Amino acid sequence: EKNLATNDIFFDVGANIGVFSIFAAIKKNAKVFAFEPEYSNLHLLKENILKNKLESNIIPFSFAIGNECRVTQLHIADFTPGSAVSSISKDYIEKTNEGYNVLWKEGVMELTLDKIIKDLNIRPKILKIDTDGNEKNVLLGSKDLISSNELKFIIIEKTKNKDDFLFCTNFLNESGYKEIEKSNSGNSFWEK
């Protein structure tokens, strides 16, 4: 809340049902770009936007964010609407990035944030990444955005994979960000 100013642009990568998106739109009148590839979560996100009358603040996008622009697959471990722990992979996988059994796979479009900021000609001030173990790939597809002067704050979910988490930490440090709130679980918060 303290890092988002009124009317800022906020990217919510892995928006799920929109908790961060709705908070940013209501509290700060933010212009939110919410990215969610799983269709039942996207449906709930849409309902939450409509129920809160935030159609002019939040734009949902029904594709995955990663390090390539391609058609790929979303591997789902839980059919419950609002659930998480899905993984993106073009390969056949039995377990998600977070170690859950894959129950279903469906085709999705994957884009990089760098392509999105180029195509839409926008840059967020705050970026939230919660992609259940795909955070490394989101960062790899966001090099231009991460190095831009407009992006000031990043909220990133701590992946269970220690190598990927170390990569994310090193990548953000090398890009000029400092971790400002440290904890052993949940999200980490980075400021430029």
Side-chain angles (χ1 to χ4, degrees):
E1 182 175 8
K2 65 184 177 185
N3 292 292
L4 186 67
T6 302
N7 300 319
D8 274 349
I9 296 174
F10 175 66
F11 274 18
D12 188 354
V13 177
N16 198 278
I17 64 169
V19 173
F20 278 80
S21 294
I22 290 168
F23 179 85
I26 289 174
K27 292 292 262 181
K28 298 293 184 158
N29 197 42
K31 180 71 169 179
V32 180
F33 294 79
F35 305 97
E36 177 53 50
E38 204 281 320
Y39 78 93
S40 61
N41 290 348
L42 187 71
H43 177 74
L44 290 175
L45 172 62
K46 178 182 174 182
E47 283 185 357
N48 287 333
I49 293 167
L50 294 171
K51 284 179 186 176
N52 288 283
K53 298 180 175 37
L54 295 170
E55 303 91 326
S56 62
N57 289 80
I58 304 172
I59 301 171
F61 290 85
S62 60
F63 46 77
I65 303 298
N67 65 340
E68 295 185 52
C69 295
R70 63 183 177 167
V71 174
T72 188
Q73 295 177 19
L74 182 68
H75 296 80
I76 297 171
D78 189 340
F79 292 123
T80 308
S83 67
V85 301
S86 299
S87 292
I88 297 164
S89 177
K90 66 180 180 177
D91 300 321
Y92 172 81
I93 59 173
E94 292 183 11
K95 299 250 184 218
T96 67
N97 294 339
E98 298 289 307
Y100 295 90
N101 292 329
V102 172
L103 303 175
W104 172 265
K105 65 181 179 180
E106 58 196 38
V108 295
M109 185 69 194
E110 174 186 359
L111 294 175
T112 67
L113 284 181
D114 284 343
K115 170 139 179 71
I116 291 164
I117 63 170
K118 181 180 176 192
D119 287 356
L120 298 179
N121 194 29
I122 54 164
R123 290 181 190 261
K125 181 178 178 191
I126 294 185
L127 169 63
K128 179 238 148 196
I129 306 170
D130 182 350
T131 55
D132 301 317
N134 195 47
E135 290 78 12
K136 174 183 176 181
N137 289 326
V138 172
L139 290 176
L140 287 171
S142 306
K143 291 177 181 175
D144 293 341
L145 173 60
I146 299 295
S147 65
S148 75
N149 291 326
E150 292 92 345
L151 186 65
K152 301 293 183 193
F153 195 76
I154 299 171
I155 304 162
I156 188 166
E157 181 185 42
K158 293 182 178 181
T159 180
K160 291 178 182 177
N161 181 304
K162 290 182 192 235
D163 290 335
D164 285 356
F165 177 70
L166 184 60
F167 172 88
C168 293
T169 300
N170 290 336
F171 183 89
L172 292 172
N173 279 321
E174 291 167 7
S175 299
Y177 292 85
K178 302 281 184 247
E179 189 174 12
I180 60 169
E181 292 182 35
K182 296 186 185 239
S183 71
N184 292 328
S185 62
N187 296 319
S188 60
F189 302 88
W190 296 79
E191 190 172 52
K192 192 172 204 179

